[in-house]
Amino acid sequence: MRLNRLLRTFAFTALLGGLAVSVSSCKDDDTKGETEKTIGEVSGVVTDDEGNVLGGVEVSIADIVDLTETSVTATTTTEADGRYTLTDVLVGSHMITCKKATYQTTSVTLKPQKFNAEAMATVNIEMRYAAAKITGTVLDARNDGAPLAGVKVTISETQTGMTDANGKYEIANLPLDAYELTFSLKDYATVTKKMGRDAFENNTAVLDVVMGSPEVLRGKTAFDLRDADKWYYSEYRGGGNDTSYPHWDWSTDYMAALDFVGAWQEQNEGTTLQIRNDGANQKNPVDLDVFDSYVYGSKLITEDNKVMTLQVRTHNADSENPAVFGVQVIDLSAAEPAAVKIGGNESYGSDSYKSFGFDLSDYVGKEVVIAVGIYRAKTGDYWKQLVLRRIAFSTAKIDGWNYITGTAVNDDLKDWKLTMEMVRSTMPHTKKKFSGVTVCEGDKNKDNRQVAYHSWRDNAHIAAEWSFVPRVKDPEPFAGEGYIIKTRGGGTAVNTIEPEAYLYAKFSIAEGSNNLTLRIRNFAGEATFFKITAIKNDGTVEHIVPASNTAASSSAAPNGCWKFVHQNGGPGNPDAYAKFVYDLSKFNGEDVVLVLGVYKGEDNGTESKVCIYDVEMN
């Protein structure tokens, strides 16, 4: 075989020599600049990353030199022993590429010096097993989120994809690893997204992207922010320290259920926004305009809630090296939505809590996205934490730990800590069904609150979606049968006017959403007193009588309360809970705050409990 190759080379050279002699006898100038070309052969063995030979690999070679004549290319397939041979290869610089299903496409560069005197080159190639894939959809923000076709999705020179007519793409044969993907299309700003190894589930990661819209917050475009969580209420709290703050934070620190971006953690002092300071993040540049980590939500601003108060402290900061933080507002109704700073950047470095006020008056009458975040003020090893203990909205800045002040709804509700300003500014809920069961399994103590509370987002948990007010008593957030609100124990004065604790939310009552169905139970054979109270925006208050119920024992009680005993029901037996149904059709066409409160209806020597399995508007 080698003899034949030599003869072929000799014959080819002789032919070129003959042509050169013939041409030069006619016109010597025609040969100036011509270079003799040599045809050779490339061979080798393809193996996997454990040294096993790979058959059935498609091996191709492409000329990467900028020649005036047509490039020479060839393709072959490896034999069962992993060997391949590419013949009639022009000696020069080439790219050899190997492709095989479930293996990462691999390319190597072949330089001219790799060819020996016989114009032969040996190139052995190792391929990495790669059964993972990344899929997703690219949407066009310029066209109201329609699928965007023709977008090139790139991981490397040999790992690319293209979106189809439905905006979908897939890049397969990838190792299970972290990746940076680039999405590019003419006349659109290129989008780059990073994804970690933990993004893969069953070897598949899904990454959806919106193009045609610049980032407004880090990692979020205006299109993304259209789906921001609603900040329905006037107060959100974080932290587990219950010694000085009158809100039973150790069991009601539900700020962790909000939407956080970047580095954050639930701590006893509050929910902390942190500088991303691990590994490569230390190389991130200083940026006092774009949040490094933040929490955000969408809120309707009115005269009743136009001032936001942050109660904060810091970790890893002092007066000489403070944490830098602030508030940004995005008006999505603007022609070109942008993040607008409210009051500029704040600097603080102390273990003492301090109240900071932010005036949102410019946005009265609008629903806007509000973001609270921390800035990177130094590159390198820069570790700061902003501890958020309280986010509150009122008519003025709130100093200290006090409840939000305002106008009492009426004399009976004056000590409820629910003001007319809070009633009017609470936003109508967009959801209709709420669970009382925590889907997070395992340890849910103080050291694991972040995971437990954040899991409430997965099933519209009532404590995350409604506002909880522990007027004088804390709840039991993680009881197996559901979320428990309760009274104090023995020796507590009987009171069916003021609740010991309650949950509230506002709803737009209309056909198809004018019945409230509540599935609950209690414990220990003692009666529990509770009631549903409706409060209209004008301050009208009505305690609603259930249209029907399935409790083992139930009866009307003073001041609109309902007394019941029912010990059945659990997550595995939802139909066993007592079902209370309320007809709200009299409020059709109105926005109404609904309050579910528990009352000390009798001194029975123990705590009385309402265990909530779910609540549904239907």
Side-chain angles (χ1 to χ4, degrees):
M1 181 175 179
R2 181 171 296 179
L3 178 60
N4 289 337
R5 186 181 305 112
L6 290 173
L7 290 173
R8 185 167 63 247
T9 303
F10 174 78
F12 179 74
T13 305
L15 176 61
L16 288 177
L19 287 173
V21 170
S22 174
V23 172
S24 63
S25 66
C26 296
K27 188 175 183 181
D28 291 341
D29 290 345
D30 288 348
T31 63
K32 290 181 180 180
E34 291 188 1
T35 304
E36 181 178 317
K37 306 300 180 185
T38 303
I39 300 298
E41 182 179 284
V42 180
S43 62
V45 179
V46 180
T47 59
D48 65 15
D49 47 0
E50 294 183 352
N52 303 309
V53 297
L54 294 177
V57 177
E58 179 188 294
V59 184
S60 61
I61 188 166
D63 196 339
I64 60 173
V65 178
D66 185 16
L67 299 177
T68 56
E69 62 262 71
T70 303
S71 298
V72 178
T73 59
T75 302
T76 189
T77 302
T78 59
E79 302 293 339
D81 61 0
R83 296 184 179 278
Y84 73 93
T85 301
L86 295 162
T87 59
D88 298 327
V89 177
L90 186 68
V91 172
S93 294
H94 300 279
M95 181 74 74
I96 301 176
T97 300
C98 294
K99 296 181 179 180
K100 182 178 175 65
T102 70
Y103 285 84
Q104 183 178 14
T105 298
T106 304
S107 296
V108 297
T109 301
L110 172 61
K111 296 292 186 181
Q113 54 266 36
K114 290 288 290 184
F115 289 88
N116 61 20
E118 298 176 343
M120 297 180 63
T122 299
V123 181
N124 297 324
I125 299 174
E126 180 183 286
M127 298 185 72
R128 188 177 177 187
Y129 180 71
K133 65 180 179 180
I134 301 173
T135 66
T137 303
V138 181
L139 301 179
D140 186 357
R142 298 178 185 173
N143 193 22
D144 199 30
L148 188 58
V151 177
K152 185 178 182 181
V153 188
T154 304
I155 294 177
S156 68
E157 288 185 2
T158 59
Q159 296 168 308
T160 63
M162 189 77 71
T163 59
D164 61 18
N166 297 313
K168 297 186 179 300
Y169 71 92
E170 178 178 304
I171 303 177
N173 300 339
L174 298 174
L176 204 58
D177 209 341
Y179 290 98
E180 181 174 287
L181 285 77
T182 301
F183 299 81
S184 56
L185 181 66
K186 184 180 179 181
D187 297 330
Y188 283 77
T190 297
V191 175
T192 300
K193 295 287 186 180
K194 293 182 179 180
M195 62 187 332
R197 183 170 180 166
D198 58 356
F200 290 87
E201 185 174 345
N202 296 325
N203 285 330
T204 299
V206 178
L207 178 61
D208 297 329
V209 170
V210 177
M211 297 185 68
S213 178
E215 284 191 350
V216 179
L217 296 171
R218 187 179 61 77
K220 300 290 181 181
T221 67
F223 188 88
D224 297 326
L225 295 177
R226 298 195 311 179
D227 296 324
D229 288 351
K230 304 287 187 182
W231 285 3
Y232 296 101
Y233 309 104
S234 295
E235 186 175 21
Y236 297 90
R237 302 185 297 280
N241 183 348
D242 63 343
T243 59
S244 60
Y245 189 37
H247 287 161
W248 298 94
D249 284 30
W250 70 269
S251 62
T252 61
D253 107 50
Y254 301 154
M255 190 186 294
L258 299 181
D259 203 350
F260 286 80
V261 177
W264 66 284
Q265 189 178 38
E266 197 58 23
Q267 298 180 4
N268 281 339
E269 295 83 1
T271 309
T272 65
L273 287 168
Q274 305 169 333
I275 296 296
R276 297 170 298 147
N277 197 45
D278 58 315
N281 282 318
Q282 292 189 0
K283 297 180 181 179
N284 291 339
V286 171
D287 199 328
L288 296 179
D289 294 313
V290 178
F291 291 136
D292 197 74
S293 298
Y294 59 94
V295 57
Y296 72 102
S298 182
K299 187 161 190 66
L300 175 64
I301 306 303
T302 72
E303 290 291 341
D304 292 318
N305 65 4
K306 63 186 179 182
V307 177
M308 180 174 72
T309 300
L310 301 181
Q311 188 83 347
V312 306
R313 61 175 288 186
T314 61
H315 290 320
N316 313 100
D318 54 34
S319 58
E320 297 296 322
N321 296 285
V324 183
F325 68 98
V327 173
Q328 296 184 7
V329 173
I330 302 93
D331 180 3
L332 295 181
S333 68
E336 295 184 6
V340 177
K341 290 184 179 180
I342 303 300
N345 292 350
E346 299 283 356
S347 297
Y348 192 56
S350 174
D351 288 339
S352 298
Y353 291 101
K354 182 178 179 179
S355 299
F356 290 82
F358 298 86
D359 188 353
L360 305 173
S361 297
D362 288 345
Y363 299 98
V364 168
K366 291 186 175 183
E367 184 173 343
V368 294
V369 173
I370 301 173
V372 178
I374 186 170
Y375 297 101
R376 173 176 277 277
K378 180 181 177 182
T379 194
D381 186 3
Y382 178 74
W383 176 233
K384 305 293 177 187
Q385 300 183 68
L386 178 72
V387 183
L388 294 174
R389 188 64 180 272
R390 183 187 200 187
I391 301 175
F393 297 87
S394 187
T395 56
K397 176 186 170 186
I398 306 166
D399 285 311
W401 302 108
N402 295 323
Y403 280 97
I404 298 173
T405 59
T407 307
V409 176
N410 63 23
D411 287 342
D412 285 346
L413 274 64
K414 64 182 180 181
D415 291 326
W416 280 36
K417 314 304 181 186
L418 181 64
T419 68
M420 276 303 305
E421 290 81 1
M422 294 165 68
V423 168
R424 288 193 298 257
S425 64
T426 294
M427 297 165 61
H429 222 297
T430 59
K431 298 178 182 177
K432 291 188 176 184
K433 187 169 183 178
F434 311 92
S435 175
V437 177
T438 299
V439 295
C440 172
E441 298 180 352
D443 183 18
K444 305 180 188 68
N445 64 20
K446 290 185 180 181
D447 295 331
N448 201 38
R449 286 191 310 263
Q450 177 170 329
V451 175
Y453 288 131
H454 212 57
S455 73
W456 287 353
R457 299 169 60 84
D458 297 331
N459 66 338
H461 195 284
I462 190 169
E465 300 289 352
W466 293 41
S467 185
F468 176 68
V469 181
R471 201 183 69 84
V472 293
K473 185 58 180 171
D474 59 323
E476 295 179 24
F478 307 124
E481 296 86 355
Y483 183 82
I484 294 175
I485 60 175
K486 58 187 181 180
T487 70
R488 292 166 291 177
T492 302
V494 171
N495 187 342
T496 55
I497 295 176
E498 296 165 353
E500 300 274 285
Y502 61 91
L503 290 149
Y504 75 93
K506 179 181 280 186
F507 295 92
S508 297
I509 309 301
E511 192 70 33
S513 184
N514 56 12
N515 282 277
L516 183 147
T517 301
L518 173 65
R519 286 196 284 185
I520 58 177
R521 62 164 294 173
N522 65 358
F523 303 93
E526 303 290 348
T528 296
F529 291 72
F530 78 100
K531 62 185 170 189
I532 298 291
T533 301
I535 308 173
K536 296 166 61 173
N537 283 339
D538 64 3
T540 302
V541 176
E542 183 173 343
H543 306 300
I544 311 300
V545 176
S548 65
N549 79 86
T550 61
S553 171
S554 65
S555 61
N559 296 308
C561 283
W562 206 258
K563 175 182 178 180
F564 87 106
V565 175
H566 189 92
Q567 299 181 45
N568 292 328
N573 189 16
D575 292 335
Y577 288 89
K579 181 185 291 186
F580 285 79
V581 178
Y582 297 83
D583 181 4
L584 305 174
S585 59
K586 66 174 66 178
F587 301 111
N588 278 2
E590 298 185 84
D591 291 342
V592 178
V593 169
L594 299 178
V595 181
L596 167 58
V598 61
Y599 297 78
K600 192 68 175 179
E602 57 188 21
D603 187 2
N604 51 25
T606 186
E607 296 176 337
S608 296
K609 302 180 180 182
V610 175
C611 179
I612 305 165
Y613 178 74
D614 65 13
V615 178
E616 183 174 4
M617 298 293 296
N618 47 34

